[in-house]
Amino acid sequence: MEQSMNESVPDLVARVAAVSPDRPAVRDGQGRVSYRELVEGAARWEAALRRRGVMPGDTVAVCLPRATVTLQAILGIWRIGAVLVPLDPSHPIVRWEFVLADCRARAIVCTEDLAPSLRKACGGTPERGRTDIVTAENLGVDRLSPESSPAPPMAPVDPDSPAYVLYTSGSTGAPKGVRVRHGALAHYVSCAGRLYEGASGPAPWHSPLAFDATVTSLWVPLTHGGEVWPVPGSDPLSGLEGLAKLLTAPVDIGILKITPTHLEALANWLGPEGTPTAITSLVIGGEALRADQVRPWLARSTQIVNEYGPTESTVGVVVAFVAPEHVADGVIPIGRPLPGTEILLCDRNGAVPGPGEPGELCVAGPQLADGYLNRPELTEERFPPHPVRLGERIYRTGDLAVRGRDGELHYVGRIDEQIKFRGQRIEPGEVETVLCGHPGIAQAAVVIHGDRLVAYVVPREGDTALEVQQLTDHLADLLPPALVPQRFLTVRELPVTPNGKLDRSALRGNKP
């Protein structure tokens, strides 16, 4: 399916509905929904939100479970020209408070049970103006039959307008919102649809809406005639458990998007006998992929894709098609850039490193985000001008990579302290800042040990009775679950380098 640069995801979904209106689009606990019903539901959401005063350019937060109504609400928001801000139902209220204030949400779409907590989260900031709390029930969209409200023609969506804002971990202790354009999103799903053989088949939706890897599970199939299968549950673990149950059935899956850590957990749950499920395109992303993690899936999948890309470059910009020889060698590349994407490797001075030498991976092309919401200085730092092409920008990922003799890119590591854990980006500074907000902690450092996030804490003088549950509760009240360490170790002091900086390598070398 070819895509013009002037089209958006809602345009592409509407095109599928026009060509194949009765084709199944979503299958959830309520049954199957056709593309016609999906688009008509989106039109009802559009009309209802317009009646509540939502206008083009407004930000609308969505805190809904994995279900058909969520997809209809998002498409309705985009049909207006409003901006989606996904909220994770598992995040603490203080996280919601920050996001809602930072994005100046005009409305929040949620379930009835979450409405009181979200009303509390958006209160106390009158300078933002009134934030409307809406649900499917109080909008009345569920009380209209499809026949009573045929979908009106959709106004074209400006590809240069923002589609969504996703919040990622921030090194200063506060999350930062990445603003992604409709054109960047459409470019990604169109490229993925052409490269991933299972794009027109079923795709399980098991990950949170606020996780950008979920874009692959939703909008790649829905723009290519595929079918989304929401997995019940509102948090990552319940989604993974539901996915494991799904894979024990003899079903055919078109695309399964998953992180390496969750892929490994899934293989352990399924056991050595594996799964009777046939997977056409197993797309793995979110963190570095090891050969042992992918080995059990070679015989279960027609196509295995290692997809690389930070949120700032719209889900994925570099892909490698994993072959048995990659697994046998134990070296899996991140691959080559998508069509239209340019990858530059730069040393500390911005020059191109020599052959075989690592450099910072920088991205240029149509999938770049607009930058960070309300963070012009950080945007300027991370999205500097293109070194050659006037008027264009690059994104400095902070990842180190080398280019092999065959032209494929290989991930080497980071130039800073950012880490990836279970597919989630974590800035240790954010966790450490919150830890040091506890009255009993003087210093803290966070590192990864194996499959655990570990916090080293130095108690304040005279406070030697730090309880793990107390620390866990403190963090759980302030951070998303993915940022809460699984283990806490009390130490007298943190190791430092000769120049006085925290020596994380020494902590990583100590097995807790």
Side-chain angles (χ1 to χ4, degrees), residues 61 80 155 208 217 271 299 333 350 367-368 428 485:
I80 293 172
S217 303
Q367 286 182 213
L368 285 198

Side-chain angles (χ1 to χ4, degrees), residues 60-92:
V60 180
V62 171
C63 195
L64 291 172
R66 295 182 283 267
T68 300
V69 66
T70 306
L71 299 174
Q72 292 174 325
I74 293 171
L75 286 170
I77 291 165
W78 284 343
R79 286 170 66 104
I80 293 172
V83 185
L84 166 69
V85 181
L87 295 180
D88 193 321
S90 69
H91 286 186

Side-chain angles (χ1 to χ4, degrees), residues 239-249 266 269-270 277:
L240 200 59
E241 290 175 4
L243 179 61
K245 293 178 182 177
L246 176 64
L247 295 184
T248 59
L266 203 56
W269 283 357
L270 293 169
T277 303

